[in-house]
Every structure is written in structure tokens, then in C-alpha cells.
Amino acid sequence: MIIALRYVGIDISKKHLDIFDEADGVPRRIANATQAITQQVARWQCDALVVFEATGIYDLALREALRQAGIQFARINPARARDFARASGLLAKTDPIDARMLAAFARAMQPAPEQVADPARGALARLAKRRDQLVLMRAQEKNRRSEADDRAMAERIGRLIEVLDSEIAEIEADISALIKAEAQIADDAKLMRSLPGVGPVACMQLIAQMPELGRVGPKQLAALAGLAPFNVDSGTFRGKRKIAGGRKRVRDALYMAALNAVRRADPFKAFYARLRQAGKPAKLALVAVARKLLTVLNAMMRDRKPYLQTKPT
């Protein structure tokens, strides 16, 4: 459990931050700008826990200022914050109310602070995200070209696809160079690629998005990836187990790795076949394989041993 003497909630928007510090109980609003944030953070000590919702690029300046000051912070899923607000009877929703609610969330739930960022992994995550964007754009343009009923238009779209091909190849080269240049990341990549089904894209996403690999238990890791099944039971009703939440891009990468693994790797192929013979739907069986892959990967990273030399727990 985190021992903090003050709990701070921050509601973030593009232009400003609404802050509620339980130590003085006074709501504040400051500009979402580096200078204003740095001045505000300087008033807090290392015994503070700051909680805010994950908001993509809008919390970058805040995260950096908190890291520089050595102050613990947690970025939480907005859905989790709203569930807490409803459970607490806080049905009204304004920026100051949200900030107060997030401070209460920090005190009641004691969320785990975010780990110190690795600059190289951050750079890899940015490259991976841009690659995903370009791959999606290319797929959309290919669909448009297939539907074009005018030859000249199809040629125009084709030229754009060539540009996207070039950009994707350039980013993939940058990703490869970054992985090779960083000894720790290169070692991680070598270990991950020894596991059947884990190709370069899945490896890249896991390194960038799952720094917890090898550092937490398999159940916690499955929850982080959104691969942990949860019950839908109430009274006499017994529902199907479902997966939800977690890091979607990691889950997608592991699902594709599972598809590859069941096609060419006997232990995973046999595991998948047993599930199908037991009547499990194909998609559910593949999710189970993805979860198994993640468990094995976690053990590999924990023991720093490649596949076949690892004993998962």
C-alpha cells in the first residue's frame, strides 16, 4: 500500500488543469502549459500521490514535471474513475468535481504509481504507434483503390499507397535500428523472438507497451493485457466468462501471435486443438493461447532464458 500524506486529483483538458489537493481542500485551475505546471508541482513534496485520468498527449507536460520532481503519480482508466464516482454517489460531472473525485479515488483505492519511463522504450512506443497509423491508412487506401471505378483515380490512389509503403519501410528501419542500439531492448527482443508465434511486430509492441513483463505475476499481467477472464454471474444466472479492458494493442498483438503459434508450434497447436475438441469456440480458444503465450513470455523475461529453457509458473 502507498503511504502518502496528501492526495491530489487532477482533471485534465487541452487548455487547463483542474486540481484538488486534499491537504488544503482548495480547488485550483492552471493552464496546461509547462511553466504553470512546473510552478504548481514545485509546491508538492515527494510524499504526495497525484492521480489523473489517462488522456493521451494532454497529460505529457504534467507527467514530465512530476517525474522531474520525483513525485508519485498514477494514470487511471477513465471508465474506472467514473465507476468510482457512481459508487460514491458523485453523479454531477464538472472539472472541479472530477478533480475532487480523483483525489478521493487516490485515498480510497491507492493505485500503483506509474513506473519511471525508459526514454528508449518511449521512443519505440511512438514509432510503433506511427507505424500502426500508417498501416491503417494504407489498408484504407487499398480498399478505396479496389472500389475505384475510374482508372485515373485508381492510379492516384496507387501513388499514395507507394508513399505509405515507403514511410512504413522507413519507420520499420528506425525501429530495427533503435532495438539494435539499446543493449537491454536488444536482449529482450532476442528472448521474445525465441517464442513461437512472436514475430517482429508483436515483439515491438510488447517491448514498448508491457514494461511489466517478468516483474509481476501472470494473473496481474493477463489483467493488464486485457486477457484475464471475468465472471458474469448473479444469483442463479451463470454467464459466459469474458475479457475486457487492458491494453488493446498488446492484446491484438498477442492474438496475432497466437494465430501464428497454433499454425506452426506443436505445444500451442495441441493446446488449441484440445480446447476446440472440448467445444470451445475458435476465438475463445485463440484468446486462451494468447494468454498462455503471455504467461510463458513472463517467465522467460523473469528468468532471462529463451523458450524451451523456461519453466512458466
Side-chain angles (χ1 to χ4, degrees):
M1 178 178 288
I2 302 163
I3 304 299
L5 298 182
R6 66 197 302 165
Y7 297 88
V8 181
I10 302 181
D11 185 79
I12 298 171
S13 67
K14 182 177 181 180
K15 294 185 178 180
H16 56 257
L17 308 180
D18 282 276
I19 301 168
F20 185 82
D21 183 350
E22 282 194 346
D24 57 28
V26 178
R28 294 181 178 84
R29 172 172 285 189
I30 65 171
N32 191 354
T34 301
Q35 184 176 355
I37 292 171
T38 302
Q39 291 173 351
Q40 178 63 47
V41 168
R43 299 190 180 103
W44 297 327
Q45 303 298 320
C46 294
D47 56 3
L49 173 63
V50 180
V51 170
F52 48 94
E53 296 176 1
T55 56
I57 62 171
Y58 297 144
D59 61 24
L60 282 174
L62 176 61
R63 278 187 279 158
E64 184 58 29
L66 290 168
R67 286 194 181 105
Q68 291 290 336
I71 295 173
Q72 294 187 109
F73 67 91
R75 300 167 76 226
I76 63 171
N77 188 316
R80 190 180 178 198
R82 293 315 307 161
D83 287 344
F84 177 82
R86 283 192 290 269
S88 303
L90 300 173
L91 302 182
K93 183 168 173 46
T94 66
D95 294 343
I97 288 175
D98 284 350
R100 183 187 293 265
M101 177 273 295
L102 288 166
F105 179 98
R107 177 177 291 279
M109 305 304 294
Q110 299 280 312
E114 191 161 302
Q115 296 180 351
V116 176
D118 179 339
R121 289 177 190 269
L124 181 60
R126 289 189 291 273
L127 287 169
K129 182 176 181 179
R130 183 55 182 161
R131 179 190 175 278
D132 283 348
Q133 292 169 344
L134 292 170
V135 168
L136 176 61
M137 290 166 61
R138 181 174 63 183
Q140 291 171 336
E141 290 304 306
K142 284 183 176 180
N143 287 337
R144 293 182 183 113
R145 182 175 61 181
S146 69
E147 296 169 357
D149 56 5
D150 179 82
R151 182 175 178 180
M153 185 60 67
E155 289 176 352
R156 284 176 178 269
I157 296 172
R159 289 195 293 272
L160 179 54
I161 291 172
E162 289 176 1
V163 172
L164 292 170
D165 284 339
S166 177
E167 284 293 315
I168 291 168
E170 187 174 329
I171 280 191
E172 288 177 342
D174 289 345
I175 289 170
S176 179
L178 188 154
I179 290 174
K180 290 177 181 177
E182 297 289 332
Q184 182 62 56
I185 292 179
D187 191 39
D188 288 351
K190 185 177 179 181
L191 285 173
M192 290 183 188
R193 292 296 304 276
S194 73
L195 181 63
V198 177
V201 175
C203 177
M204 166 188 66
Q205 294 294 345
L206 287 164
I207 291 173
Q209 306 289 343
M210 290 294 284
E212 298 89 352
L213 268 170
R215 298 174 183 171
V216 301
K219 290 183 179 179
Q220 183 180 351
L221 200 67
L224 289 171
L227 288 170
F230 64 89
N231 299 351
V232 186
D233 299 335
S234 179
T236 59
F237 176 77
R238 293 294 179 268
K240 294 180 179 179
R241 303 308 184 247
K242 298 180 180 180
I243 59 171
R247 299 169 192 172
K248 184 179 183 303
R249 189 61 187 89
V250 171
R251 185 167 62 254
D252 291 345
L254 286 167
Y255 187 85
M256 295 306 298
L259 275 173
N260 292 330
V262 300
R263 289 170 182 160
R264 66 186 189 89
D266 188 57
F268 300 102
K269 186 187 297 184
F271 177 63
Y272 176 77
R274 287 197 302 273
L275 292 173
R276 295 289 285 132
Q277 289 168 5
K280 303 296 183 184
K283 187 172 182 180
L284 187 150
L286 282 169
V287 168
V289 173
R291 189 162 57 247
K292 191 175 185 68
L293 285 172
L294 184 61
T295 299
V296 174
L297 275 167
N298 196 44
M300 290 165 57
M301 304 305 288
R302 179 198 65 209
D303 300 339
R304 306 306 298 175
K305 291 181 180 179
Y307 183 63
L308 297 180
Q309 296 182 24
T310 301
K311 296 180 180 179
T313 57

